[in-house]
Amino acid sequence: MHDDDQQDQAVGAPEIVAVREAHRLDEAALATFLGDHELLDGPLRVEQFQGGQSNPTYLLTSGEARYVLRKKPPGQILPSAHRIDREYRVMHALRDAPGVPVPAMRAYGEDESILGTEFFVMDYIPGRVFSDPGLPDLAPAERGTLYGAMIDRMADLHSVDVDAVGLSDFGKPHGYVERQIKRWRSQYEASTDAPDANMIALGDWLADNVPGDVAPAIAHGDFRLGNLLVAPNDFTVAAVLDWELATIGHPLADLAYACMPYYLPQGIPGLKGIDGMDLSAAGIPSEADQLARYRERRGIGPIDDWPVFMAFSLFRIAAILQGVYARAKAGNASNADALAVGKQATVMAECGWKIARNAG
């Protein structure tokens, strides 16, 4: 029995389930691969993490050894999506970066004949995941601590010297937001036969209001509470997860994305919003508090074009959710709840367009 088995039953413990039929692996081929990389410590057991809408993620247990496997999903996927090679590279590059905890990378499987798609293996780190930004299972002081830790880890990531960690060629240093608008508009259009009017209007507005460049940084691309692995016994961040969208880009895109729950209504399934909560009573910092904490930790001045970054975040997540919905209809999304979650794309587009209209 593993020492963290009790933790696995605790509040916030990731849900581990039997491997879904659509995501079954050739376990014999996987065992051979692990053995070749000296990662086996006995018979192999494979289970799947429930949650996340993109790359299937598995828990591998072999004797006392535990690892996590991430792989591209099966079936037809959109161009440039599910770049687990980039995910592997950025986490490996950040292995010694101060303030940015990541799991140790163990092996990369580029030969698709092994498991059907590319994959990688990394260390398993015990911890908890809190995907609901309202943090209903925590006390007010604990909520405030975790929200602060999220901002601190993000600011530390954005302070990493890109050249020093070998990621100078990981993305284009300028024009990030403009490229992202084009990318997600293209991905959205490829995922639907009936584009939403709010999404079209929002895309047009963003194209006309692209913010200026700043010093480039490593942008995680999906930085939020649900992608932080929280330590089992306190509210420090044990690891930052899910790096497939990482690139060299505008750091404020990450900050806006993490602040998105402030603009989404509380209590609607799939939206994960806190708009309408009594934040002070809940112990959750306000958006202004989070922005001030980020600025102080990074030593930067006032943030310009904040409504543009927030509207862009909603535009991007709407496009991502539309892709989730399209994959769910095709039967190859990685989460059993993907159909329900994907339908929230229209709500995200509506919220983003409201911000754009109010900004003028």
Side-chain angles (χ1 to χ4, degrees):
M1 183 173 180
H2 290 271
D3 292 338
D4 48 285
D5 280 348
Q6 286 186 331
Q7 178 271 321
D8 285 348
Q9 305 303 318
V11 171
E15 183 180 359
I16 300 170
V17 299
V19 177
R20 295 180 61 205
E21 186 64 35
H23 296 147
R24 292 199 178 278
L25 304 173
D26 184 337
E27 295 188 15
L30 174 58
T32 298
F33 176 87
L34 295 174
D36 289 344
H37 289 82
E38 300 183 346
L39 298 176
L40 277 183
D41 187 37
L44 176 64
R45 184 170 83 247
V46 181
E47 299 167 286
Q48 186 169 7
F49 289 95
Q50 167 68 353
Q53 306 291 352
S54 187
N55 295 320
T57 305
Y58 305 82
L59 174 63
L60 311 180
T61 304
S62 175
E64 292 301 311
R66 273 182 152 183
Y67 302 102
V68 173
L69 182 147
R70 294 263 287 175
K71 70 186 292 290
K72 287 186 178 182
Q76 184 176 1
I77 58 177
L78 294 173
S80 77
H82 308 281
R83 292 296 305 275
I84 66 164
D85 56 328
R86 292 176 61 82
E87 187 172 18
Y88 181 90
R89 181 184 173 191
V90 70
M91 283 193 283
H92 184 65
L94 292 171
R95 61 193 179 276
D96 296 321
V100 191
V102 292
M105 300 295 102
R106 294 300 179 185
Y108 192 88
E110 61 183 354
D111 183 351
E112 295 185 357
S113 69
I114 300 173
L115 298 182
T117 59
E118 293 179 45
F119 64 95
F120 67 84
V121 178
M122 60 185 173
D123 279 356
Y124 168 82
I125 298 178
R128 300 168 292 166
V129 176
F130 299 99
S131 60
D132 184 340
L135 300 175
D137 297 313
L138 303 186
E142 295 169 336
R143 295 178 187 130
T145 298
L146 185 50
Y147 264 80
M150 174 179 67
I151 291 298
D152 291 349
R153 300 291 72 77
M154 182 193 303
D156 290 347
L157 169 65
H158 295 161
S159 299
V160 169
D161 185 323
V162 173
D163 295 330
V165 296
L167 292 175
S168 57
D169 63 342
F170 196 63
K172 299 177 181 178
H174 303 294
Y176 170 76
V177 177
E178 183 176 11
R179 290 194 308 276
Q180 286 282 299
I181 293 169
K182 292 178 180 177
R183 173 188 177 182
W184 293 111
R185 174 177 271 185
S186 175
Q187 297 258 36
Y188 176 78
E189 291 172 351
S191 300
T192 181
D193 295 325
D196 181 79
N198 289 323
M199 194 67 171
I200 295 172
L202 180 56
D204 290 340
W205 182 84
L206 287 169
D208 291 336
N209 290 273
V210 177
D213 286 324
V214 296
I218 301 169
H220 179 279
D222 195 12
F223 209 112
R224 55 187 172 88
L225 284 176
N227 279 336
L228 303 181
L229 189 64
V230 181
N233 300 315
D234 58 31
F235 290 90
T236 59
V237 177
V240 181
L241 304 176
D242 290 2
W243 292 81
E244 68 170 289
L245 296 176
T247 189
I248 304 302
H250 202 305
L252 294 185
D254 272 350
L255 183 59
Y257 187 78
C259 288
M260 200 165 54
Y262 291 106
Y263 294 83
L264 300 175
Q266 179 194 18
I268 297 180
L271 286 188
K272 297 181 179 179
I274 56 174
D275 184 27
M277 283 186 67
D278 184 340
L279 298 182
S280 179
I284 295 175
S286 68
E287 180 190 58
D289 292 335
Q290 294 291 79
L291 298 187
R293 184 174 185 132
Y294 178 87
R295 289 174 53 200
E296 180 179 1
R297 193 164 183 92
R298 291 205 65 208
I300 62 174
I303 296 174
D304 298 324
D305 298 321
W306 183 245
V308 178
F309 285 103
M310 186 53 59
F312 164 68
S313 290
L314 288 158
F315 175 80
R316 193 187 67 152
I317 194 63
I320 291 172
L321 290 177
Q322 184 61 41
V324 168
Y325 182 62
R327 291 198 307 278
K329 289 200 300 182
N332 64 351
S334 63
N335 189 327
D337 300 326
L339 275 170
V341 174
K343 291 180 181 178
Q344 301 298 336
T346 56
V347 181
M348 297 288 186
E350 182 179 356
C351 290
W353 180 227
K354 179 181 178 181
I355 291 173
R357 292 198 311 270
N358 290 340

